[in-house]
Amino acid sequence: MLTIAISKGRIYREALPLLDTAGIRPGDDPETSRKLVFDTNLDDVRMLVLRAQDVPTFVEHGAADLGLAGKDVLLEHGGEGLYEPLDLGIARCRMVVAVRRGRETLPRRPRVATKYVESTRRFFAAAGVQAEIIKLYGSMELAPVVGLADCIVDLVDTGSTLAANGLVEVEEVCPISTRLIANKASMKMKHARMKTFIDSLSNAVAEDPAP
Ligand code: PRT
Ligand code: MG
């Protein structure tokens, strides 16, 4: 049995056509069903529907053999106990530093509001900047507007969320896309089945007309 961990929303929607090309079709629609475990058209493949941040944890501990997770989530998780065999190239965006328009010059010790504490810590440390990191769970864009922080580190796709809040991007932290992750023990114990799955998904990605 192969167990694949996936999150609802953007990643699921964009992964569905790739999984379909790879020959895997979920038995139910996780977007509408309340079930958390799904059979698929293949007898030996099932899917777990999790919060995006929980996908690496399930895979690391072997509760799932494989998972689909955003690079943003993996950077925060740390990636111990995981292989990252494939970039699916879906749910693409960028992690950026953004400030209030007109406040582009940061103070020497900026206060940075973010959900991405690890990535932010590494980014400012590498730049030699001593930042005070303020952990938030959402609505980061509000922090500079109300004076909670000098800047934010957040994900940006179209840029319309930043613009709507009077913020501008000043630096890119890193590009983000969805990765296939694999449990290290499963890679040994179920090697042939895992390899077949990874190869078929890899072929589906190569055939994908999207950039
Ligand atoms: O939202 P929820 O709490 O349910 O869970 P989630 O945020 O973990 O899931 P979801 O589906 O929102 O995101 C899953 C993954 O999609 C993330 O982990 C990223 O890898 C990837 N992704 C790609 C994005 C975006 N693009 C994105 N634009 N995740 C979030 N956003 C948000 C961003 O945080 C900001 O609030 O969209 C807003 C910016 O979008 P633009 O288009 O206005 O720039
Ligand atoms: Mg979201």
Side-chain angles (χ1 to χ4, degrees):
M1 174 65 72
L2 274 191
T3 303
I4 305 167
I6 189 163
S7 58
K8 282 201 263 197
R10 202 178 318 239
I11 291 181
Y12 180 78
R13 282 195 304 277
E14 297 190 27
L16 207 52
L18 291 174
L19 290 167
D20 188 88
T21 306
I24 295 148
R25 281 152 218 115
D28 260 299
D29 179 3
E31 302 284 356
T32 53
S33 169
R34 290 179 180 273
K35 281 204 291 186
L36 301 174
V37 184
F38 288 84
D39 293 327
T40 69
N41 60 312
L42 303 182
D43 286 342
D44 68 341
V45 178
R46 65 173 182 173
M47 286 185 193
L48 308 184
V49 178
L50 309 174
R51 283 301 296 264
Q53 286 87 344
D54 291 333
V55 168
T57 307
F58 275 66
V59 176
E60 178 189 351
H61 293 281
D65 302 298
L66 294 152
L68 305 186
K71 187 66 182 176
D72 50 314
V73 169
L74 295 174
L75 288 168
E76 292 303 302
H77 177 82
E80 302 90 11
L82 298 172
Y83 290 123
E84 197 185 298
L86 186 62
D87 184 348
L88 298 180
I90 58 169
R92 281 179 190 278
C93 58
R94 296 174 305 121
M95 192 181 287
V96 306
V97 182
V99 301
R100 276 178 91 170
R101 187 179 298 284
R103 301 279 182 85
E104 281 82 357
T105 310
L106 287 177
R108 202 166 53 84
R109 290 189 175 189
R111 292 164 303 148
V112 190
T114 190
K115 187 167 138 184
Y116 307 101
V117 170
E118 283 308 310
S119 306
T120 300
R121 193 182 50 70
R122 280 193 295 260
F123 176 77
F124 282 98
V129 174
Q130 205 170 47
E132 180 195 338
I133 298 174
I134 301 169
K135 165 88 185 184
L136 295 179
Y137 292 89
S139 304
M140 264 88 82
E141 297 85 359
L142 194 55
V145 178
V146 297
L148 175 64
D150 302 300
C151 63
I152 62 171
V153 169
D154 196 6
L155 304 182
V156 174
D157 179 16
T158 61
S160 57
T161 305
L162 289 185
N165 291 287
L167 304 181
V168 288
E169 177 184 335
V170 286
E171 260 185 289
E172 178 169 310
V173 176
C174 59
I176 299 291
S177 58
T178 302
R179 311 302 167 92
L180 178 68
I181 54 173
N183 175 267
K184 285 187 175 171
S186 302
M187 281 299 256
K188 291 202 186 96
M189 309 293 287
K190 306 181 183 178
H191 185 261
R193 186 63 188 94
M194 295 278 280
K195 185 171 186 317
T196 306
F197 178 89
I198 294 166
D199 286 349
S200 49
L201 200 54
S202 175
N203 289 334
V205 171
E207 282 171 32
D208 189 12

